[in-house]
Each structure stands twice: as C-alpha cells, then as structure tokens.
Amino acid sequence: MPLVTTKEMFEKAYKGGYAIGAFNINNMEIIQGITRAAKKLNAPVILQCSAGARKYASHDYLVAMVKAAADETDLPIALHLDHGPDFETCKSCIDGGFTSVMIDGSSLPYEENIALTKKVVDYAHAHGVTVEGELGTLAGVEDEVNVSAEDASYTKPEQVEDFVTRTGVDSLAIAIGTSHGAYKFKPGQKPQLRFDILEEIEKRLPGFPIVLHGASSVNQEHIKIINEFGGEMPDAIGIPEDMLRKAAGMAVCKVNVDSDIRIAMTAALRKHFAENPKHFDPRQYLTPARDLIQEVVEHKIDVVFGSTGAAN
Ligand code: G3H
Ligand code: 13P
Ligand code: ZN
C-alpha cells in the first residue's frame, strides 16, 4: 500500500477512542521491529524521523525503507517528520516523499510560531501532505536542544482555537506535563499530567486531533537489564500507561514514542553481548534487539493505545 497521510487515521482514531502510535525510526531494524508489530496486530502506524535521524541514516534510505515496509505489510503507514526545525527541512521532506510533517515553532514567540506554521501548512497542503503544529513547550532533550523543567510551559487552552484557525494545521501537539527523554520525573516524584488542560482544549476544538510528545513509559525491566549487564542508567520514570490510555480515549490521536525503543534496543544488545561475548555477526546481536522492539510496540498498540485491528 502507498504511504498515507495522517488525515483518515486521525478521524478514525478520534471517533474510535484510540490513538495511533508514532514511533521514531533511525535504521532498518527499528523500522522492521515496529512494522512487524503493527502487521501482527493489523494496526495503522506512524513512522517518524527527526532531523537528526535524517542526517544519520539519510533521507533517501529512510524513505526507501519505509516504503518497503508499507508495501510488505499493506498497512496504512504515514511517514512523518518529527520536530521539523524550519521551513526548508519541512519542504525537503514534503518534496521527498514524506506524507506528514511537524513544524515545531513552540519555542518562538506566538505570532512567529503562527507565521512559520502557516507557511509550512500552505506549502504542505498544496502537495497533499498533513501538518502537525505545537503550542506549549515540553521539558527534555531533542537533538541538541535541551529545555529545562523550569523553561517548559503548559499549552494555554485560550490560544488553541486562534492557532488552529489561523495556521490551518491538521493536528496540534500540546504540553500537559510529558517530557522528552528517559528522565521525566524525579525518583519519588508522583507522575502527573494536566488532564484538565487536555479537557479544556478538547472542548474548544471538538473533533480535532491532539498529539502527545514525550510519551515513553520507561520499562523498569529494561532499565534493570541495562544496569545488570554493565550499563549505568539512573532511576528513570516515564509516563504511566494508564494515563496514556486515558489520553487516547480523549482527543489524543497520536502518541510519540522514541526513548522506549532506544531503551529496549540497548537492553537487548547489552544482554546479548554479556551472554555471548564471542559474537561479532551483526545479524546475531541485532535480531534480539529487533525482537524486543517488536514486543514493546505490540504492547503499546494493543494494551496502551488501543489501535489493534484498526487498519481497516
Ligand atoms: O523528540 C525527539 C525525539 O526523541 C528524537 O530525538 O532528535 O535525538 O533523534 P533525536
Ligand atoms: P520520548 O522521549 O518520551 O520517547 O518522546 C519522543 C517524542 O516525543 C518524539 O517526538
Ligand atoms: Zn517530541
């Protein structure tokens, strides 16, 4: 099946009370781990890459591998630019086969965010590509940008109608307490999300798809494996799965996951090398890494986001 935009998948997800998993990709094994899970569960999926991933793997390789996955699985798969930093990067992805882009103007002053987002929307829509914008700032690390918890700010519900109307975006990423990376809450801190803000946004934008970034849950078993086999990850606390499930039943139609895949891959590799110190064939050590990614994604699709069987 050719790659699809996010339009139809979000309409169905909103009505069906579930969310689409949007998983970050950097290489073939990650793409295969994700799409094998989606295939097994007959679930639509978004494969997204950051500007950093595009630099690492190169645009053409990523597009070719994602197209191969869409052909092989026959699933609705969108290829999405995650955290597009500027118009030029978005244009290059739109021109080069992506079906969806995010323009991240969240750190700009409000009017500049609107102007930049609208410029991307005008170009994207003229080329049949959907656009995600962002209002509010998440804490954490994306590429080289590190936003401290003090500088993070929740989305202001009173701005969302104006932003969506004036930019024409197809979906909106909001900040309600999630953050990027593995360390979302301090040890001992009780994870909390501002569902009151999400509810208020939902009321102001009925039927409009909302996106949650920084939504990894951080599997404690995987952290334990990493540390048992030579890693040194401090206590890491993610977003509880029941909170993500609740958000997926509300206006949240897209949930972004990167760190959980990184952690799974690292755990599988560390364990494999510790148990098989003589191995040096990449197929031997990348197989358990790909399998564990698949397991993580299956769990999210089935138990957390509720998108099993939603591909048709
Ligand atoms: O939100 C950011 C994603 O986790 C991508 O991270 O920019 O290091 O590829 P990256
Ligand atoms: P995590 O770091 O929580 O996986 O978030 C990823 C993300 O938001 C990608 O845009
Ligand atoms: Zn993000």
Side-chain angles (χ1 to χ4, degrees), residues 236-269:
I237 303 171
I239 311 296
E241 291 183 347
D242 59 335
M243 291 189 189
L244 296 173
R245 184 72 212 104
K246 180 174 171 185
M250 297 171 69
V252 170
C253 292
K254 173 175 181 269
V255 181
N256 284 12
V257 173
D258 187 356
S259 299
D260 280 344
I261 290 177
R262 296 178 180 191
I263 291 167
M265 193 161 192
T266 305
L269 289 171

Side-chain angles (χ1 to χ4, degrees), residues 140-141 179-186 214 216-220 223 226 233-239 258-260 262-263:
V141 185
S179 62
H180 290 109
Y183 309 104
K184 299 181 193 299
F185 299 100
K186 298 198 178 80
S216 278
S217 294
V218 185
N219 183 314
Q220 295 304 308
I223 300 288
I226 290 173
M233 281 193 75
D235 279 351
I237 303 171
I239 311 296
D258 187 356
S259 299
D260 280 344
R262 296 178 180 191
I263 291 167

Side-chain angles (χ1 to χ4, degrees), residues 92-220:
S92 163
C93 289
I94 293 163
D95 294 344
F98 281 48
T99 53
S100 177
V101 293
M102 174 189 191
I103 176 67
D104 185 353
S106 59
S107 58
L108 297 173
Y110 183 65
E111 288 298 329
E112 287 175 39
N113 187 2
I114 290 194
L116 175 61
T117 305
K118 182 172 169 19
K119 187 175 172 189
V120 171
V121 168
D122 288 346
Y123 189 80
H125 285 182
H127 293 79
V129 166
T130 42
V131 180
E132 173 184 326
E134 179 165 344
L135 265 182
T137 324
L138 274 71
V141 185
E142 306 154 20
D143 273 337
E144 281 87 41
V145 184
N146 191 345
V147 181
S148 70
E150 295 75 52
D151 291 335
S153 59
Y154 295 119
T155 304
K156 296 186 178 73
E158 60 275 18
Q159 289 182 333
V160 297
E161 291 146 288
D162 183 61
F163 185 83
V164 166
T165 312
R166 286 172 62 197
T167 58
V169 282
D170 303 282
S171 60
L172 181 68
I174 60 165
I176 58 166
T178 61
S179 62
H180 290 109
Y183 309 104
K184 299 181 193 299
F185 299 100
K186 298 198 178 80
Q189 196 185 355
K190 194 169 174 283
Q192 265 174 342
L193 295 187
R194 292 289 304 271
F195 281 101
D196 57 319
I197 295 180
L198 176 57
E199 255 169 44
E200 186 57 34
I201 291 171
E202 191 174 325
K203 265 192 224 144
R204 288 170 184 260
L205 295 173
F208 191 80
I210 298 301
V211 179
L212 265 197
H213 283 247
S216 278
S217 294
V218 185
N219 183 314
Q220 295 304 308

Side-chain angles (χ1 to χ4, degrees), residues 37 40-41 293-303:
K40 187 163 157 198
L41 299 172
I293 291 168
Q294 179 177 343
E295 192 182 304
V296 165
V297 174
E298 275 180 34
H299 176 77
K300 289 192 184 285
I301 287 175
D302 200 39
V303 179

Side-chain angles (χ1 to χ4, degrees), residues 10-63:
F10 285 168
E11 280 166 10
K12 286 165 91 174
Y14 201 102
K15 287 193 194 115
Y18 61 86
I20 313 287
F23 301 98
N24 283 71
I25 56 167
N26 296 291
N27 66 13
M28 184 188 76
E29 283 74 16
I30 296 175
I31 293 171
Q32 289 178 335
I34 298 163
T35 53
R36 285 178 185 184
K39 173 83 180 159
K40 187 163 157 198
L41 299 172
N42 195 30
V45 74
I46 298 169
L47 299 179
Q48 59 186 11
C49 68
S50 65
R54 203 164 156 258
K55 195 163 137 199
Y56 170 76
S58 100
H59 178 98
D60 290 343
Y61 274 79
L62 287 171
V63 172

